[in-house]
Amino acid sequence: MAARDAIADLRQIAFLLERANEASFRVRAFRSAANGLGVLPPAELAARAEAGTLTELAGVGEVTARCVAESLRGEEPVYLRRLAATEGTDLDEAAAALRSALRGDCHTHSNWSDGGSPIEEMALAAVGLGHEYLVLTDHSPRLTVANGLSPDRLRRQLDHVAALNAELPEGFRILTGIEVDILADGSLDQEDELLARLDVVVGSVHSGLKDESAKMTRRMVRAVANPHLDILGHCTGRMVAKRPAGVSGAGDRAHRARSRPESSFDADAVFAACVEHGKAVEINSRPERQDPPKRLIRVALEAGCLFAINTDGHAPGQLDWQRYGCERAALCGVPAERVVNTWSAERLVEWAASRVR
Ligand SMILES: [Zn+2]
Ligand SMILES: [Zn+2]
């Protein structure tokens, strides 16, 4: 294959990162590498790429060096390919189209756990937003700080939801679910019999977030392989202090902006497990979570994962936060057909039940 223009590829990566509103240090890294490498004689650039000595040059890191090597081999750099998915699209339009394709929300909380409102109020807000379904995913027993539901309380909740569904408007229903803790060994924090009864199971890590990568990877891969888990919730556990424009920082007390780094795990292995077992990766819309970061959404997209764009809403007004998740998904080029909550309730429930029966 004929070599590509490696410098032009680096500049294009910087341009697309900027367009996707990525951190400026990341944009600068590519642009300064392009400037530094652009003055080298092409023969020296090729020789250094061949010998693996590009990183000896100032301002050239592992990632940029790999991009240059791929370009010179005549391949479109993987990093560029991931970004180029959104080239030429109107991102506002793409985000709006994705939002209007969503037919429900697969991660919400009521005052049965740590939400602020009764289930019926959450449901009526969802009806108002035009949703066809709302998956109620209150916390599991061991998350005591969030008033997680014991098996008995969850059983009572299921009866309550059945009664509510009988009264709600035609064409809308509350789907049963849980946000089940992924325990330290990767098992799920609820009885199998109950997990099997629920329409949709979101599994999330809420403890040991600083565990070393290999341990966290094993834990997540085991949970993803569990036939009960359908959606992997907020996979990095990060909290970003910054909120997007238009969202005030004065949220509910439990979710006041505070920052926490991403958990470390082998994203390729975890997303490969999601693909293998047909599980969806959540794009969590909460402004203080924005989880996974766009970089990992692109990795999951490339791996072939399904997604769910969820609000993780703890109050009725928060159910409108899906647009933030849609913006981030659109910036990464996630197509609507890969998002499970663009599906009908019937299809969603069928998909979630397909591995358990
Ligand atoms: Zn959670
Ligand atoms: Zn949640």
Side-chain angles (χ1 to χ4, degrees), residues 33-94:
N35 290 337
L37 295 173
V39 298
L40 283 186
E44 188 187 340
L45 185 68
R48 279 185 172 275
E50 181 81 37
T53 58
L54 283 169
T55 51
E56 289 170 5
L57 301 170
V60 182
E62 295 280 346
V63 178
T64 42
R66 196 179 324 129
C67 291
V68 169
E70 288 167 338
S71 297
L72 293 180
R73 282 201 302 270
E75 301 162 12
E76 182 179 20
V78 173
Y79 203 102
L80 176 57
R81 193 171 72 228
R82 284 177 184 157
L83 285 168
T86 60
E87 212 185 346
T89 55
D90 180 322
L91 295 173
D92 290 336
E93 228 171 67

Side-chain angles (χ1 to χ4, degrees), residues 17 40 74 105 131-132 142 210 223 300:
L17 282 171
L40 283 186
D105 194 332
H131 284 330
E132 294 169 22
R142 270 182 249 198
K210 290 180 185 154

Side-chain angles (χ1 to χ4, degrees), residues 107 139 179 204 206 234 289 312:
H107 183 167
H139 289 287
E179 180 181 15
S204 309
H206 290 119
H234 52 67
R289 283 198 182 272
D312 196 357

